[in-house]
Amino acid sequence: WKGDSLIEGVPETIAMLRELGKRLIFVTNNSTKSRAGYLKKFLGLGLEITAEEVFSSSFAAAAYLESVNFPKDKKVYVVGEVGILEELDGVGIQYLGGEADGDKKVTLSAGQLMEHDPDVAAVVVGFDRNVNYYKIQYATLCIRENPGCQFIATNPDAVTHLTDAQEWAGNGSMVGAIKGSTKREPTVVGKPAPFMLDYIANKFDIRKDQICMVGDRLDTDILFGKDGGLRTLLVLSGVTDEATLKSPENEIHPDYYQIPMEDRQALLDEQESAEVDPLPGREGDAVGAHHHPLLPKDAPIIQVDIEPAGIGREYPVEIGIVADAQAFAEALGVALAAEPPEVPHARREWT
């Protein structure tokens, strides 16, 4: 979705994947909601999702602290929203900050000193629409002055989609402020860091080479997949557009990419209605070829001549060249023959 608008074709795509027996896992870097909050949004948009299929970076922050045996007598200071607080409640970790500090202001005067809790042993920074100077200063003091205090970021995203009208400054802006004041690098628990992937693979006992990561941004979703050894599919319905993907400056390349559903349907409709010029042959023959819509747009095309059995004439056929034929076949859900069978009166034919 974008904001509160469902992207066209999503319900049908989810239903198709379930019919194919695929396990679906939804991973989001947005920490403003807990898993329960995201489940409510999925269901409110009419998507049939279960609670165990949803993983948010707010959950990842709590799961990470639990995995390192965060002391129960210590506290977490939160720059973020209710999603992080609910997930910390879920694992029994004490916290302060968050929404409670949203209206606090700093009034400076000579000799003023801001007090901070010495029992804070971790600062978690997530997306916060009420971030303010008080929160930045409090987090800075905890990280700089409390011995061993951890600095944890739910994600480093530069921008986010709060509405479907434009991009908005993302959690990277909040994390960047505290990086600047502490001169510390955070432990990132969301994409593209490996923590969530390792957690999911272990929980569901899935090999990473069995997973395809589908996402709309190169620097988080696709990098998350590539660094983790997954197949990757970029959808051009969100942050990354086709110009960015094909830019010479881009160094992150997905295994596959998909144009937006509405554009893809328009392309299919155009191809179905396209007139095909008849080639020499029997009366009424109309043979033609098009670049298959599921092939990468920049896939090289060669033309070969084949002689269909019984026709006695060669016809030109366009063939798309894919670097990894086996992977492409699997993505389409078809079997690839080990060897192309010999066919009478034809040079070679793939079935």
Side-chain angles (χ1 to χ4, degrees):
W1 58 69
K2 289 184 179 180
D4 292 318
S5 301
L6 192 61
I7 294 174
E8 182 181 356
V10 167
E12 295 82 0
T13 301
I14 291 174
M16 176 196 70
L17 292 170
R18 291 203 190 282
E19 289 176 3
L20 293 172
K22 305 299 182 183
R23 177 184 290 279
L24 304 181
I25 299 169
F26 299 88
V27 182
T28 175
N29 263 0
N30 192 331
S31 63
T32 59
K33 293 181 176 64
S34 62
R35 288 170 298 169
Y38 272 108
L39 179 62
K40 182 177 180 181
K41 181 162 186 175
F42 273 108
L43 297 177
L45 289 170
L47 301 175
E48 297 182 3
I49 306 299
T50 64
E52 73 166 5
E53 293 174 326
V54 180
F55 288 85
S56 62
S57 63
S58 53
F59 167 75
Y64 172 79
L65 289 169
E66 191 175 37
S67 73
V68 297
N69 298 314
F70 187 79
K72 296 297 184 181
D73 61 340
K74 296 294 184 180
K75 303 172 187 175
V76 173
Y77 184 73
V78 177
V79 178
E81 300 189 17
V82 66
I84 298 172
L85 310 183
E86 290 180 354
E87 294 294 355
L88 291 175
D89 279 333
V91 294
I93 292 178
Q94 302 178 72
Y95 59 82
L96 62 156
E99 295 184 323
D101 288 351
D103 294 327
K104 292 185 178 179
K105 296 182 179 180
V106 175
T107 303
L108 298 178
S109 59
Q112 180 171 343
L113 175 72
M114 179 186 283
E115 301 288 346
H116 69 282
D117 191 331
D119 287 332
V120 171
V123 171
V124 174
V125 182
F127 184 75
D128 191 336
R129 285 166 286 194
N130 295 305
V131 67
N132 55 36
Y133 188 67
Y134 180 93
K135 292 182 180 183
I136 293 172
Q137 173 66 358
Y138 201 104
T140 299
L141 291 172
C142 292
I143 294 170
R144 292 181 61 173
E145 298 186 10
N146 290 0
C149 183
Q150 299 187 63
F151 176 18
I152 299 165
T154 59
N155 69 80
D157 293 0
V159 297
T160 187
H161 284 124
L162 297 180
T163 69
D164 58 359
Q166 65 181 175
E167 293 179 345
W168 298 76
N171 192 47
S173 61
M174 291 92 185
V175 174
I178 298 171
K179 282 174 61 177
S181 62
T182 62
K183 300 190 182 301
R184 286 264 304 274
E185 289 293 327
T187 297
V188 178
V189 294
K191 299 174 291 185
F195 177 78
M196 275 205 288
L197 176 58
D198 293 339
Y199 186 96
I200 290 167
N202 290 332
K203 177 178 175 62
F204 294 108
D205 192 25
I206 304 173
R207 297 198 323 269
K208 292 179 182 179
D209 62 1
Q210 294 176 303
I211 303 172
C212 180
M213 179 66 197
V214 181
D216 69 354
R217 55 193 306 163
L218 291 169
D219 59 345
T220 55
D221 300 322
I222 302 306
L223 187 59
F224 176 72
K226 305 223 35 110
D227 286 351
L230 316 182
R231 299 262 175 80
T232 54
L233 168 61
L234 176 72
V235 289
L236 300 177
S237 56
V239 174
T240 301
D241 57 23
E242 194 166 8
T244 302
L245 171 64
K246 293 185 175 182
S247 168
E249 298 176 359
N250 173 40
E251 297 180 350
I252 305 171
H253 302 286
D255 295 302
Y256 313 101
Y257 75 95
Q258 174 66 63
I259 61 177
M261 292 294 248
E262 59 270 22
D263 295 345
R264 180 175 182 272
Q265 188 58 52
L267 176 62
L268 292 172
D269 292 343
E270 178 184 344
Q271 290 184 343
E272 288 177 2
S273 61
E275 294 183 2
V276 179
D277 294 330
L279 293 170
R282 295 177 301 179
E283 184 72 22
D285 274 352
V287 181
H290 298 285
H291 198 138
H292 194 285
L294 289 180
L295 279 173
K297 283 186 175 180
D298 56 354
I301 298 295
I302 62 172
Q303 180 169 296
V304 298
D305 292 333
I306 64 170
E307 181 185 328
I311 300 299
R313 189 181 297 275
E314 292 185 340
Y315 287 86
V317 176
E318 288 183 327
I319 299 177
I321 306 300
V322 181
D324 185 347
Q326 184 64 42
F328 185 68
E330 290 174 3
L332 296 181
V334 300
L336 190 63
E339 290 292 338
E342 295 290 348
V343 180
H345 308 296
R347 292 176 184 166
R348 281 197 182 270
E349 176 181 273
W350 288 89
T351 302

